[in-house]
Amino acid sequence: SPEEVQLLRRAQEENVIDESNIWDAAEDFLLSLIAIPRFQLRLKIWDFVNSFEEKFEHVARDVKGISKGCDCLLTSMRMRHLLGVALRAGNFLNGGTPRGRADGFA
């Protein structure tokens, strides 16, 4: 967080590093990390790149399922029959309107 970065930078300025006073490995790593320009953005991008394939596979499975469902609907004779019945019912109900015969596509 930005507060932690400020604390580390303040500690780095206030403390003199010599043979008797050294940073632990974790603090040394974090100080090296915050010295990199725009390190937070770079870490976010690195996380995105590392997790992209997993997220993509999850979305790809969903897309395959939706595509398979669409193919089933497009090739289903029962769905074609059901839509035909709905069209005929709509044409019948529209037959007596003041605008005349407003049939749908047959």
Side-chain angles (χ1 to χ4, degrees), residues 58-101:
H58 178 69
V59 171
R61 281 194 305 268
D62 294 343
V63 168
K64 283 181 184 178
I66 291 171
S67 179
K68 188 174 180 181
C70 289
D71 289 340
C72 286
L73 286 174
L74 289 172
T75 59
S76 171
M77 292 309 290
R78 288 181 179 173
M79 182 57 73
R80 185 177 291 234
H81 178 71
L82 176 66
L83 291 175
V85 169
L87 179 64
R88 284 189 189 96
N91 287 342
F92 175 77
L93 293 173
N94 286 334
T97 63
R99 293 185 307 177
R101 233 165 123 78

Side-chain angles (χ1 to χ4, degrees), residues 4 12-13 22 25 28 30 56 58 63-64 80 83 87 90 103:
E4 293 170 328
Q12 186 181 26
E13 292 170 0
I22 60 171
D28 193 36
L30 287 175
F56 178 78
H58 178 69
V63 168
K64 283 181 184 178
R80 185 177 291 234
L83 291 175
L87 179 64
D103 286 347

Side-chain angles (χ1 to χ4, degrees), residues 43-54:
L43 286 175
K44 288 179 184 177
I45 292 170
W46 186 40
D47 179 50
F48 174 76
V49 168
N50 287 332
S51 63
F52 178 78
E53 188 172 345
E54 179 184 338

